[in-house]
Amino acid sequence: QVQLVESGGGSVQTGGSLRLSCAASGYTYSIQFMGWFRQPPGKEREGVAVLDAGDVRTYYADSVKGRFTISQDNTKNTLYLQMNNLKPEDTAMYYCAADYRRLGSSIVLAQYNYNYWGQGTQVTVSS
């Protein structure tokens, strides 16, 4: 199975940028999807951005389109989330997740489809 470790969170002001990293180790060869999810205070976990490891297609939540970019470095087994023009509503614990199964495009952003999770990294955006 895969182990995931996130890093790169922090505190920024509105309009600032952060880049999150997710280092994957263990059995990474057959991973089909990897993505970023977040859980704002008092709310449920939601999908932010997902990358199809097979065809490198990307999926984004409407709330982050045009501001966030998901990417991967296969040589380092690392997934990234570049976050620009951050807003206070982006404040959340951000989690990296992965799964070995093929998922339909309509459900790739649903957190319940992912079986492997990191411990999370906190992002706080102040106004």
Side-chain angles (χ1 to χ4, degrees), residues 4 31-37 45 47 49-52 59 96-101 103-104 107-117:
L4 305 170
I31 291 174
Q32 298 296 308
F33 289 90
M34 287 188 72
W36 292 95
F37 297 77
R45 194 175 299 185
V50 166
L51 186 145
D52 183 332
Y59 303 83
C96 176
D99 207 86
Y100 297 102
R101 300 169 298 163
L103 302 173
I107 61 172
V108 293
L109 286 170
Q111 57 99 4
Y112 56 77
N113 286 308
Y114 293 79
N115 288 304
Y116 301 93
W117 293 84

Side-chain angles (χ1 to χ4, degrees), residues 13-104:
Q13 293 188 329
T14 298
S17 297
L18 284 173
R19 189 176 80 156
L20 305 184
S21 299
C22 173
S25 61
Y27 191 68
T28 61
Y29 180 74
S30 296
I31 291 174
Q32 298 296 308
F33 289 90
M34 287 188 72
W36 292 95
F37 297 77
R38 67 186 181 186
Q39 187 165 16
K43 297 183 179 181
E44 293 187 353
R45 194 175 299 185
E46 61 184 12
V48 175
V50 166
L51 186 145
D52 183 332
D55 60 14
V56 204
R57 184 175 179 181
T58 57
Y59 303 83
Y60 294 94
D62 289 342
S63 59
V64 306
K65 283 181 181 177
R67 300 188 298 122
F68 290 12
T69 303
I70 189 171
S71 63
Q72 65 179 356
D73 183 338
N74 287 330
T75 63
K76 298 181 180 179
N77 284 333
T78 302
L79 185 74
Y80 300 101
L81 184 68
Q82 177 67 43
M83 305 186 295
N84 297 327
N85 191 21
L86 283 160
K87 304 175 181 180
E89 51 264 42
D90 295 318
T91 294
M93 183 70 79
Y94 282 71
Y95 298 91
C96 176
D99 207 86
Y100 297 102
R101 300 169 298 163
R102 293 301 304 169
L103 302 173

